[in-house]
Amino acid sequence: MDSFFYDPPHGRVKILFEDDDFVAVDKPSGLLTVPGKELRHKDSMLSRLQKVFPNISVIHRLDMDTSGIVLFAKNKNSQILVSKQFSERLVKKFYVARVLGQIMKLSGTIVIPLAKDWPQRPLQKVCRKYGKFAKTRWRLLESFSDPKGRMFSNLLIQPITGRTHQIRIHFKEIGFPIIGDNFYGNKYCKAIGRRLNLHAYSLKFYHAGRGCYLRLTTRDENSHSLCEPDFVI
C-alpha cells in the first residue's frame, strides 16, 4: 500500500493511571503508539510521554486508528513482567465497537487464522492454511437503526489472541465490518464513520509491585454512547 497520510490529533495526553511502575493513557484515534520509521511519522504516544517520563518503555500497542488504553512501563522489571503476561494471554482486554448490520445472536466466538498480507503491508489477511491461530469473543450490547433505516450493532469484544488487526478482520469476515474501517470495511463503513469505531476500554493485569490484579478502564461497557463524541453515524 502507499505510504499513509499522517495527521495526528493534538492535545494533552490523558493519563488514566500512574504509579512508580506504570503509566496508562487513553490514546486518541489517529495517533501512533510508537514512532514510525519516517521522520514525519515520529510523533506518537510514546514520544509524547517520553517528554515527561524519559525512561518509559512499550509493553503493548494499539493500531493507529484504534483509541483507548495503552500501558507503558517505567522500569525494565515491570516491562518484562507484564510483557510476559501479554505473551501468555493472561492479560484480559475488552473493547467496544460499532459494526454495520444487525447481529441477531447475543454472543459468539470467532476463530479465523490470520497472516501478513505482504504485497499490501500493513494489511493482514485470512489464511486458513498458514495463518496464525486467532480467537475473538464478543457479546451484543444493542442493535439499532438510524433515521435512514440502516442497522448497526454495538458490541463488547474480548480478543483472546492479539494478532494485528484481529478484531477488524474477524468482524469483516463474518459480515459485520466495523464502522469507519478504511482498511477492511466496505464503502458504506468508510462513508459513514469519521473514525474507526473501535475503542480499547478495559485492561486487567497482575501488578507485582502491588501484589494484586489491577483493572484499568476508560468507560462503562453498558454506556449507551459507548464511544467518543466523534463516534457518530
Side-chain angles (χ1 to χ4, degrees):
M1 296 185 67
D2 295 333
S3 180
F4 67 88
F5 174 70
Y6 187 44
D7 183 24
H10 301 288
R12 298 182 62 182
V13 174
K14 183 178 179 180
I15 295 179
L16 301 171
F17 172 82
E18 180 195 351
D19 66 3
D20 292 339
D21 298 301
F22 302 102
V23 177
V25 299
D26 189 354
K27 186 187 82 67
S29 175
L31 179 65
L32 291 167
T33 301
V34 299
K37 294 181 179 179
E38 298 184 34
L39 181 61
R40 59 195 174 124
H41 301 154
K42 293 300 181 184
D43 185 17
S44 68
M45 184 55 74
L46 176 62
S47 57
R48 292 183 185 186
L49 284 173
Q50 284 176 330
K51 296 176 182 179
V52 182
F53 310 104
N55 298 319
I56 65 166
S57 56
V58 176
I59 297 175
H60 69 116
R61 307 181 188 190
L62 289 180
D63 296 343
M64 181 185 75
D65 294 330
T66 303
S67 61
I69 298 175
V70 184
L71 184 67
F72 296 87
K74 282 188 172 182
N75 54 72
K76 190 62 177 178
N77 186 58
S78 297
Q79 193 268 344
I80 292 172
L81 290 175
V82 179
S83 293
K84 188 171 185 292
Q85 292 180 53
F86 271 95
S87 65
E88 295 178 352
R89 301 175 189 169
L90 298 176
V91 177
K92 294 188 181 299
K93 300 172 289 180
F94 289 91
Y95 293 70
V96 287
R98 179 168 294 158
V99 300
L100 181 64
Q102 182 179 15
I103 296 182
M104 304 304 292
K105 295 174 61 178
L106 295 179
S107 62
T109 301
I110 306 168
V111 180
I112 300 175
L114 305 176
K116 294 183 183 297
D117 190 350
W118 290 110
Q120 301 191 78
R121 292 185 300 257
L123 297 189
Q124 310 290 304
K125 65 180 181 180
V126 172
C127 183
R128 300 186 185 277
K129 187 174 182 179
Y130 300 110
K132 294 182 179 180
F133 175 77
K135 182 177 181 180
T136 304
R137 292 175 180 155
W138 61 269
R139 175 165 61 87
L140 178 66
L141 295 176
E142 64 175 342
S143 291
F144 62 97
S145 62
D146 70 358
K148 296 182 179 180
R150 298 174 297 194
M151 294 301 302
F152 303 90
S153 297
N154 289 336
L155 305 174
L156 175 66
I157 301 168
Q158 181 185 19
I160 304 304
T161 53
R163 310 301 179 199
T164 301
H165 298 169
Q166 174 178 316
I167 294 174
R168 299 165 71 168
I169 300 177
H170 273 182
F171 283 94
K172 174 250 184 182
E173 283 298 307
I174 67 170
F176 298 97
I178 297 176
I179 299 299
D181 192 342
N182 289 319
F183 279 177
Y184 306 101
N186 57 31
K187 62 180 181 180
Y188 300 106
C189 291
K190 297 176 182 179
I192 294 170
R194 292 190 297 190
R195 54 153 292 188
L196 180 68
N197 281 209
L198 181 63
H199 180 83
Y201 99 92
S202 175
L203 181 74
K204 182 180 179 181
F205 67 99
Y206 184 74
H207 192 313
R210 296 186 173 215
C212 64
Y213 284 93
L214 186 66
R215 181 176 179 266
L216 307 173
T217 185
T218 62
R219 65 184 70 254
D220 178 0
E221 71 269 29
N222 294 311
S223 166
H224 178 75
S225 63
L226 278 177
C227 310
E228 299 296 340
D230 57 355
F231 253 55
V232 296
I233 296 170

